[in-house]
Amino acid sequence: MGPLAALTFQAVDWAVFLLFAAAILALGFSARLRESSALQFLTDGRRLTLPAFVATLVSTWYGGILGIGESVSYFGVGTWLLLGVPYYLFAFVFAIFLAERVRGVEQFTLPERLESAYGKPAAYVGAVLVFLLAVPAAHVLMLGVLVQQVVGGDLAPAIIGATLIGTAFLYRGGLLADVRVGFLAFVAMYMGFAAIAVFCIARMPLSAAVAALPDAGQRTFTGGQPWPVVLSFLILGAWTLVDPGFHQRVASAETPAVGRRGVLASVACWCLFDVLSITVALYSLAMLKNPPANPVAIFPAFAEEVLPPGLKAVFVCGMLGTILSAMVGYTLVAAGTVGRELVGRFRGDMDSAAVVRWTRAGISASSLAAVALAIRIESVVALWYAWSGCVIGALLIPVWRAYVGRSLRLGPWVAGSMVLSFLASFGWFVAARRTNNPNLEVAWIRTANGGYFVVPPIPEGLRAEAVVVGVGTLLPGLLVSGAILGLGWLSRRGNEDDR
């Protein structure tokens, strides 16, 4: 990820920061479960009210906040279309077609639903894919980077310390602790970015900030990108339909109607926060006298160079809360997948208390995996879209058919399609890296020295010259999945009673 400019805090900043950290820990550790069952630990007894549902879903699904400043440096105003609108559209589809079905069935995890629809082999494969998608390596990395800028020291200890402290309360309170922290993160993210937006607008018209963008294409709705790139980002929004954290929150809603209304309300909240965060990013680019070489550092650099004491800490806490909430939420999903869907399914005779114990062990396992990836890989964000596409392409059709409409008895076909489609996408990704072929990935930028890299981020010291349109990792897997399941359907279509 490269070095970021260190943040220097005054006494008032430290007061705000420490108060925020204390409130996070107090809310997390004060969560008390009504009973020690797996249902209570993983879903809070499926009793999330509408306010709790919206607060936790909004903050969890918006964990990549540092990527907004980074993306605005590439796409300018077009960031809203490329990285906002696709997720609104697919979240709307989820609300209309899936939300009440997800909450209305007995199963509350994706692997469970896959087993109900297609059998145990599909559930095992789905559980592995869900774990790969849920491990919060990128969130761990971003949280560690921000903590490092505040307290100093090396990045690795900051990552380890932030992860240990940030997930400790999960062992005690499960989803309830996550929800309580999510409430504070929700308030912090909106207050922080709204305050900074007002601060910026009072000092410079928004039109002047937009006019300061270096490329005329960045001032357009598409960010200067050709339609194939726009389409690539639109397709990636399908992540919403198979995201395990999304499903967990909806399955935990108080009623099916709360799940549906909550997703729709969350879309409105995401739209508002996109407006706030993109506005702040535009002002950051316009007001920074010494912009960082690595665009992932735009928000921290802006806080250090432009913001006054007190407001700087409010902004940092807004970013920290957003990242922490997402990290905690996905850690719990990955842990539940280990404890309930892998170990529990393999043993077959585990009671609820044992599932909770193994889920707590899964918190440690998923945290260790995330920390190892964050320390080893220079930028997890650079792999986010490509890696996630491998998993999404494998899960998308089976998950959709598991909830919507009739399906033939295609258990072996579904398990095989998920394995082969993931391998196809992953092979596509590896081939792109080994051959340096930019046309095999989502959207690559050609640099002045002739190299290529996936969006995001731009490696330090390199200047972008042109966007190269690629096929992406999601599409190959989706085509393989559709072809295999189509063959399976043709072989079974004569049996009208099969599922």
Side-chain angles (χ1 to χ4, degrees):
M1 181 169 282
L4 306 183
L7 292 163
T8 55
F9 273 11
Q10 303 298 320
V12 64
D13 294 309
W14 279 114
V16 172
F17 180 81
L18 294 176
L19 180 63
F20 177 76
I24 286 283
L25 295 176
L27 285 171
F29 282 109
S30 64
R32 296 182 180 276
L33 298 177
R34 297 182 182 90
E35 57 187 56
S36 59
S37 66
L39 181 69
Q40 182 70 36
F41 192 82
L42 293 172
T43 69
D44 191 24
R46 308 186 89 170
R47 296 178 180 178
L48 287 187
T49 61
L50 184 62
F53 177 89
V54 172
T56 185
L57 183 62
V58 168
S59 58
T60 298
W61 190 231
Y62 216 111
I65 188 62
L66 294 185
I68 296 299
E70 185 180 7
S71 299
V72 170
S73 72
Y74 306 144
F75 308 120
V77 176
T79 299
W80 188 74
L81 173 64
L82 299 176
L83 296 176
V85 172
Y87 298 93
Y88 310 155
L89 292 176
F90 281 103
F92 183 79
V93 170
F94 192 105
I96 299 303
F97 295 102
L98 291 182
E100 293 190 355
R101 298 172 189 264
V102 170
R103 179 57 183 86
V105 298
E106 182 180 351
Q107 303 85 20
F108 59 86
T109 67
L110 280 177
E112 257 192 315
R113 185 59 185 170
L114 291 173
E115 180 178 3
S116 175
Y118 309 117
K120 286 188 176 181
Y124 277 117
V125 176
V128 173
L129 293 176
V130 165
F131 179 80
L132 294 176
L133 191 60
V135 169
H139 302 100
V140 162
L141 178 58
M142 286 186 288
L143 185 65
V145 165
L146 278 180
V147 170
Q148 180 198 29
Q149 303 318 299
V150 174
V151 302
D154 294 331
L155 179 59
I159 289 174
I160 295 170
T163 304
L164 288 175
I165 296 172
T167 58
F169 48 77
L170 277 181
Y171 293 88
R172 175 185 177 90
L175 183 65
L176 179 59
D178 179 9
V179 170
R180 290 165 68 89
V181 169
F183 262 119
L184 183 57
F186 179 86
V187 173
M189 63 191 279
Y190 280 92
M191 285 185 60
F193 278 83
I196 305 308
V198 171
F199 171 86
C200 293
I201 292 171
R203 282 155 180 79
M204 177 189 293
L206 180 59
S207 59
V210 174
L213 290 169
D215 189 332
Q218 293 177 317
R219 301 171 206 140
T220 67
F221 186 60
T222 63
Q225 308 309 310
W227 70 264
V229 173
V230 176
L231 183 60
S232 294
F233 278 94
L234 177 63
I235 294 172
L236 282 169
W239 185 342
T240 307
L241 300 180
V242 298
D243 181 77
F246 219 90
H247 278 259
Q248 183 198 36
R249 293 304 189 274
V250 174
S252 304
E254 196 172 36
T255 65
V258 166
R260 183 175 182 271
R261 292 198 302 269
V263 174
L264 293 174
S266 297
V267 171
C269 291
W270 289 319
C271 184
L272 173 60
F273 191 71
D274 276 336
V275 171
L276 292 173
S277 59
I278 292 172
T279 297
V280 172
L282 290 169
Y283 277 106
S284 298
L285 293 174
M287 298 173 75
L288 275 171
K289 296 179 181 178
N290 299 300
N294 190 338
V296 77
I298 285 174
F299 280 154
F302 174 73
E304 177 62 21
E305 183 179 316
V306 178
L307 297 182
L311 201 57
K312 180 191 295 186
V314 169
F315 187 39
V316 170
C317 289
M319 291 187 285
L320 277 174
T322 307
I323 297 170
L324 177 64
S325 178
M327 183 195 76
V328 169
Y330 284 104
T331 297
L332 183 61
V333 171
T337 302
V338 171
R340 193 169 188 270
E341 308 303 338
L342 292 174
V343 177
R345 197 177 300 280
F346 178 77
R347 292 184 58 177
D349 59 347
M350 285 173 51
D351 58 21
S352 187
V355 170
V356 172
R357 287 196 300 271
W358 277 102
T359 298
R360 289 185 170 124
I363 295 173
S364 299
S366 57
S367 297
L368 287 172
V371 167
L373 286 171
I375 292 175
R376 182 176 179 82
I377 300 174
E378 184 178 358
S379 176
V380 176
V381 179
L383 303 176
W384 222 346
Y385 291 109
W387 173 254
S388 298
C390 297
V391 180
I392 294 164
L395 286 174
L396 190 56
I397 297 176
V399 169
W400 179 266
R401 293 301 302 169
Y403 285 106
V404 178
R406 291 173 53 83
S407 61
L408 300 177
R409 192 181 300 276
L410 300 178
W413 290 89
V414 171
S417 77
M418 289 193 291
V419 171
L420 293 177
S421 60
F422 174 80
L423 293 177
S425 290
F426 186 67
W428 196 269
F429 171 69
V430 171
R433 292 287 168 142
R434 288 189 173 181
T435 63
N436 196 30
N437 184 346
N439 295 309
L440 296 182
E441 290 211 29
V442 179
W444 288 63
I445 292 180
R446 184 163 53 246
T447 60
N449 66 354
Y452 295 92
F453 56 92
V454 68
V455 175
I458 296 178
E460 184 176 354
L462 296 181
R463 180 172 59 85
E465 288 190 341
V467 170
V468 179
V469 179
V471 174
T473 54
L474 188 152
L475 187 58
L478 195 61
L479 291 175
V480 170
S481 175
I484 294 174
L485 293 175
L487 290 174
W489 179 79
L490 289 174
S491 71
R492 293 278 190 173
R493 64 177 182 173
N495 191 340
E496 295 291 335
D497 295 327
D498 279 351
R499 276 191 55 81

